[in-house]
Structures are given as structure tokens and as C-alpha cells.
Amino acid sequence: MFTSERRLLAVENLAVDYGGYVALSGVSLEVRTGEIVCLMGANGSGKSSLLNAVSGLVRPAAGTVVFEGRSLTDVPTYRRLGLGLAHVLERRRLFPYMTVLENLLLGSYLPAARARRGEALEQVFRTFPELRARRQQLAHTLSGGEQQMVAIARALMSTPRFLMLDEPFLGLSPRLVAEVAETILRLNADGMTVLFTEQAIHQSLITSHRGYILESGRLVLSGTSAELLGNEMLQRVYMGLDLEAS
Amino acid sequence: MRGLAQAVTSGLLIGAVYGLIALGLNIVFGTMRVVNFAQGTLLMAGMFMTYWLWELGGVHPYISPLVTAPLLFGLGFAVQHLFVSPLLARERAREPMSVLLLTLGLALVLENVALLFFSADFKTVTTDVSMQTFKIAGLIVSVPRLVGLGAMVATSLVLYLFFMHTDLGRAVRATGQDREVARLMGINDFRIYGVAYGLSAAMMGIAAAVLVPFFYIHPGVGTSFLLKAFVIVVLGGLGSMPGAALGGLLVGVIEGAVALWVQAAVAQIVLFAVFVAILFVRPAGLLGVERR
């Protein structure tokens, strides 16, 4: 585990608004180089909106997103991957009628990534050995766990510095949840900074250094994962819910 | 039997040209989810370009795509950039109706501009190959129509290689399947739409080149082809490239065969009846996949 004081991502006073429906308001958070940060909250609390605002899929109504000291306000979505910012969407969103290999190749569409394509592909197959055998299979015929692996692998093809994962554990069996969590930790050990969202608080906290909790579009709690794990209010309100849900 | 075989052969050959137009329609639909009503108009534009190149420059129609295809690509890219994209950017719907109406409007404007400048007279180009035929196994094969089939096969092959084996081609397919994720891959989706529209326009330069030696040129010529292309695209499966090629050949054959027994107008009715019947059995088209 390696964390520094250098801020990789700084989100300030972010607001996202879908034609009158306020999804996020006044949210500020930061991610430092080398960290794994988790963003927790119930369905509809604004987790995805925050990631989407960072990657540019939604335009914030107010606030700023600064990545490596550079404001992203005027950077179009398709230029943000080139800055080293990769985003894996909720429900994996692979290109369904393409093979695993084609999905991976699209992950290295940018000219800079294309130049290092062979190397990146080998690296990705080393990280996810099961994908090598499945590279000619159509993406929509894969299992949920395999799809999640491909989605992460695709994001890694451009060798980003920062990886955002939206609900990476969603719909996976406990065994696969552990496997994805293991992958996140391994990538981090190799130097990747990660921000991920999740509804299951406990799983998130044991896979991260710090956490933020969103409720109805506002931040209600934040701290190191160890602090949050010991937080009484959190235990009562959220982890209780976790237990009931499972 | 000889008569039927002859009709099927002729139908197959003209069907190839239909298939080429349907392929163009499918590229735009597959990428943007917009039915491009201006496809026929682009064909008409290509045919007039081919005609004037022949009339003024003596350029043989079969050479003309070297000039017309890049010109039409530019025209298509510009139309996309100036008119379609701004509207598409405002629409949140996946299959925006407004854009469809826009292409219809563009088609009407271009057609009337052509009427204004070129008049409604039918023009023809008679080249050395126009009337050429040869006999094979007792069947008469029209040379310019055979060239049409060759052009369709060659174009399909090039398109296949482009879509399956180049980064840009893959990016076009990816944008068609999920444009948000395409953006996250670093793909400028609006530029891809321009490429797709330009490509489908450029193909009309090829279709025009093979049509001009045996078909009249007229500002309204695109409309009849467009209607058939619609049938073909729906028949073959919206967005399916092999479906478009196969559908084109099928429509040509049905037209040709039916015209043996009934007059051409009735043949069209039979064509649409077959169309409805096939959709009844396979709603997604012959080679279509059920989209989720």
C-alpha cells in the first residue's frame, strides 16, 4: 500500500441536476495518488452521477472537477481517457456484439495506447488469465463475473493512472465479489489509484483506504475505512441494513 | 424454365445495386439509429456528378468513383456536421424522430434544388458497355449489370475488412452499440457519425457509377431506389450488413421473377406482400438480431 499527499482528483461543490431532479448538490471529495477510495450509499444516492460527472458523461450544474491539477470543465468526455482517467460503468456495459478481444482493442483505441497495444494486452491477460481463452467469445454471452473482468481489463488497456469503477460487485456471487476485490487490491499494489462505488458498506470498507457516504445527493460521512468501520452510527444505520438485506 | 432462370439472373444483377444502397442506409442506421431519408438523394447527386463528369470531361462512369466517392464523402461528412450532429446532440432519445425528419427535409430540399438546376428531363449516358451482353449457359447476361454485382461484392468485402480489422471501423461499430462507452474509450462519437454518414454517401458514388450506364438520371431517381432499400434493410435485419446484401439480391430476384407473369406495377405489390410475410415470421428480419 502506497499513498502520498498528492491530490489526483479534487471534486468541489459538485452539483448534478437532471432537468429539475437534483442528483447531487454541494459534494466535495478528493482522491490522492495511490489510494483506494470508496463511495457508498443506497440506490439513487448519487454515486453514479458523481463518477459520470468526473468522466464527463453528465455535465455538472455547478462545481469543479480537477484532475492532476487541471480543471476538466472544458475537456470533452472523449479526451478524458487520454489524461489517464478510466471509467467502468455500472453493469459493465461491454460492446455486446463484439468479441472479448475486440472490446479490449477498443480500450486501446487512442493512438498513444495503440502504440503499446501488444504489451498492454499481454499485461491484461496476465492479470486475468481466464480471458485469454475467451478472447474470441462474444461479450454478451459471458457470465456476469467474466463481463466485469473484461470491463476492468478494457479500462486497463490504455494504462490509465486512475480507475473509476461503478458498482463493480453488483450481481456477482460472493466468490466473485472476493475475486474482484482482490483484483482491485492487486491493481492498487501495482500503483493504480482507484475510486469505486458500492452499496454494501462492509465489503467496500475492507477493500479501501478511505470512504465517503452519500445520502440523497449529499455527503453525510467520510473518513478512513478503519474509522468508518468503527463508526457507531454507521454500524447502526447502514451495516444493520446490510445484514437485513443479505 | 429458361425464362425463369433468365429473370432470376437479371433480378440478381439489379438486386446487387439495391443491396449497395441498402448497405449505405444500414451503415448510418447501425451507427446513429437514424433512418437516412436522404440516402436516395445522395445517390441522385452521385448520378448527376457521374453524368456531368461524362458529359463535360469524358470521364467513363466506371472511373468516376475516384472523383465522386471522395466528393460525396465530403458532402456527407459536411451534412452530418452542419445539420444532423447539432440536432443529434440535443436529443436524448436513442432513435431520435427529429433527426429522421431532418434527413427527410434535406432530401426534399436537395431534390428540388436538382429540379431547379437540372430540370426534370431524363438524362442517359450511353457508354461502350451500356448495351453489351454475353451468353452463358443459354442465359443472357448484361455486362453493366454484372459490373454492378462485382462492385457490390467488392464494396462489401472492403467494408467488411474496414469494420472488422481497422481501429476506425471497430470504433464505428462500437459507437453504434453504445455511444456513451465509446466516448469513455476516447472515441469522438460525433466525428464517427460524420465518418459513417460520409462513408454511406461515398458508397452512393459507386452505386451511381454502376447504375448510370444503364439507368436514366433524373432528380427523383433516388426515391424509387430508397423505397426498395428500406424494404431490403428491414427484410435483412436493421443494422445487419450481410442482411442488406442478401436482402438486396432477394428483392431483385423477386422483382425479376414476378415480372415474368404480371406487369411491373403488380410485381411491386407482390414484393411488398412477400416483405410483410417474412416480417410476420421473423420480425427482426432475415439476419437480424433481437436488440436488447
Side-chain angles (χ1 to χ4, degrees):
Chain A
M1 183 196 319
F2 157 81
T3 64
S4 78
E5 289 307 303
R6 215 159 68 83
R7 283 205 303 190
L8 188 65
L9 176 77
V11 170
E12 281 193 41
N13 262 318
L14 192 72
V16 170
D17 185 317
Y18 299 109
Y21 169 74
V22 178
L24 278 182
S25 68
V27 172
S28 300
L29 62 76
E30 61 171 40
V31 179
R32 293 187 283 262
T33 304
E35 272 188 319
I36 304 176
V37 174
C38 65
L39 187 60
M40 296 158 284
N43 237 341
S45 57
K47 305 184 300 289
S48 297
S49 295
L50 191 136
L51 297 198
N52 289 346
V54 172
S55 68
L57 289 177
V58 299
R59 184 165 267 282
T64 55
V65 176
V66 176
F67 183 70
E68 291 195 311
R70 174 182 179 178
S71 168
L72 296 184
T73 308
D74 295 319
V75 180
T77 311
Y78 66 89
R79 288 206 196 281
R80 297 189 188 190
L81 181 69
L83 301 177
L85 191 162
H87 182 187
V88 177
L89 290 173
E90 193 180 329
R91 304 200 168 275
R92 357 292 180 205
R93 295 273 287 272
L94 300 178
F95 297 111
Y97 304 105
M98 289 192 174
T99 64
V100 168
L101 183 63
E102 286 179 312
N103 268 278
L104 296 177
L105 292 178
L106 279 156
S108 56
Y109 173 77
L110 292 172
R114 231 176 277 178
R116 289 178 271 112
R117 181 173 273 171
E119 209 179 304
L121 208 54
E122 271 313 305
Q123 177 67 42
V124 153
F125 283 144
R126 266 201 300 279
T127 312
F128 306 102
E130 55 277 74
L131 295 188
R132 194 188 291 270
R134 299 213 178 264
R135 61 187 187 278
Q136 296 302 343
Q137 196 172 327
L138 284 181
H140 73 100
T141 65
L142 298 172
S143 72
E146 287 162 346
Q147 290 195 10
Q148 188 62 61
M149 299 300 173
V150 177
I152 295 174
R154 182 175 66 181
L156 296 176
M157 284 296 292
S158 62
T159 50
R161 282 185 294 283
F162 180 49
L163 182 63
M164 296 196 296
L165 304 167
D166 200 353
E167 306 229 7
F169 306 130
L170 192 72
L172 300 186
S173 69
R175 189 180 63 79
L176 285 168
V177 166
E179 208 173 298
V180 171
E182 170 65 29
T183 305
I184 292 173
L185 291 170
R186 210 158 12 122
L187 288 171
N188 178 251
D190 290 339
M192 180 74 73
T193 307
V194 180
L195 171 63
F196 72 92
T197 71
E198 184 47 46
Q199 295 186 41
I201 306 258
H202 187 77
Q203 180 63 53
S204 307
L205 290 175
I206 59 170
T207 321
S208 59
H209 303 125
R210 285 193 307 117
Y212 290 89
I213 297 189
L214 274 173
E215 208 178 275
S216 309
R218 291 178 177 279
L219 279 180
V220 290
L221 258 183
S222 67
T224 66
S225 297
E227 279 166 16
L228 290 173
L229 270 170
N231 185 300
E232 233 176 79
M233 188 272 253
L234 192 63
Q235 293 219 330
R236 245 192 0 259
V237 180
Y238 291 97
M239 302 211 202
L241 281 178
D242 267 14
L243 287 175
E244 273 170 41
S246 60
Chain B
M1 217 39 230
R2 170 61 43 93
L4 183 64
Q6 180 63 55
V8 168
T9 310
S10 305
L12 205 61
L13 295 179
I14 187 75
V17 181
Y18 298 160
L20 208 50
I21 298 159
L23 270 174
L25 208 56
N26 240 344
I27 289 173
V28 172
F29 183 83
T31 317
M32 268 179 277
R33 294 303 163 90
V34 169
V35 174
N36 179 25
F37 274 90
Q39 195 74 39
T41 316
L42 290 165
L43 174 69
M44 179 270 291
M47 288 175 80
F48 271 103
M49 285 179 189
T50 310
Y51 171 78
W52 288 115
L53 278 172
W54 168 259
E55 277 297 307
L56 303 176
V59 178
H60 193 283
Y62 292 162
I63 310 289
S64 66
L66 291 177
V67 180
T68 60
L71 270 178
L72 283 162
F73 184 92
L75 179 69
F77 195 92
V79 162
Q80 172 67 35
H81 189 72
L82 296 175
F83 301 107
V84 184
S85 281
L87 194 58
L88 206 59
R90 282 213 307 267
E91 290 282 347
R92 295 192 69 85
R94 191 69 183 92
E95 298 179 17
M97 179 63 79
S98 61
V99 181
L100 187 144
L101 293 174
L102 173 75
T103 65
L104 181 61
L106 282 170
L108 290 172
V109 169
L110 282 173
E111 211 173 296
N112 284 294
V113 168
L115 265 175
L116 193 66
F117 285 104
F118 304 139
S119 84
D121 296 341
F122 283 38
K123 295 178 171 60
T124 53
V125 168
T126 310
T127 63
D128 47 344
V129 292
S130 290
M131 293 299 164
Q132 263 185 41
T133 57
F134 64 88
K135 264 188 143 171
I136 184 162
L139 297 172
I140 301 162
V141 177
S142 143
V143 170
R145 290 184 185 215
L146 186 67
V147 170
L149 181 66
M152 198 262 278
V153 171
T155 307
S156 307
L157 204 66
V158 170
L159 282 175
Y160 177 83
L161 292 175
F162 170 71
F163 282 120
M164 302 306 280
H165 295 288
T166 70
D167 280 292
L168 187 58
R170 266 194 296 269
V172 175
R173 283 163 62 216
T175 306
Q177 290 179 25
D178 195 328
R179 59 176 169 188
E180 277 191 339
V181 179
R183 271 176 223 161
L184 294 180
M185 301 290 110
I187 296 166
N188 179 352
D189 52 333
F190 281 93
R191 200 176 71 91
I192 293 293
Y193 297 148
V195 169
Y197 207 103
L199 199 61
S200 94
M203 287 173 62
M204 295 309 96
I206 297 169
V210 296
L211 268 177
V212 158
F214 67 92
F215 213 88
Y216 63 86
I217 302 143
H218 175 266
V221 68
T223 314
S224 59
F225 282 102
L226 180 68
L227 198 61
K228 275 173 201 150
F230 280 156
V231 172
I232 291 159
V233 164
V234 176
L235 197 62
L238 273 169
S240 161
M241 299 291 162
L246 184 75
L249 297 176
L250 191 67
V251 165
V253 168
I254 293 172
E255 251 187 12
V258 174
L260 273 184
W261 298 292
V262 292
Q263 45 177 300
V266 183
Q268 294 294 316
I269 298 173
V270 174
L271 175 65
F272 283 98
V274 172
F275 169 63
V276 171
I278 289 179
L279 284 190
F280 203 72
V281 183
R282 284 194 60 92
L286 288 175
L287 299 183
V289 274
E290 301 284 353
R291 293 266 168 180
R292 288 177 295 177

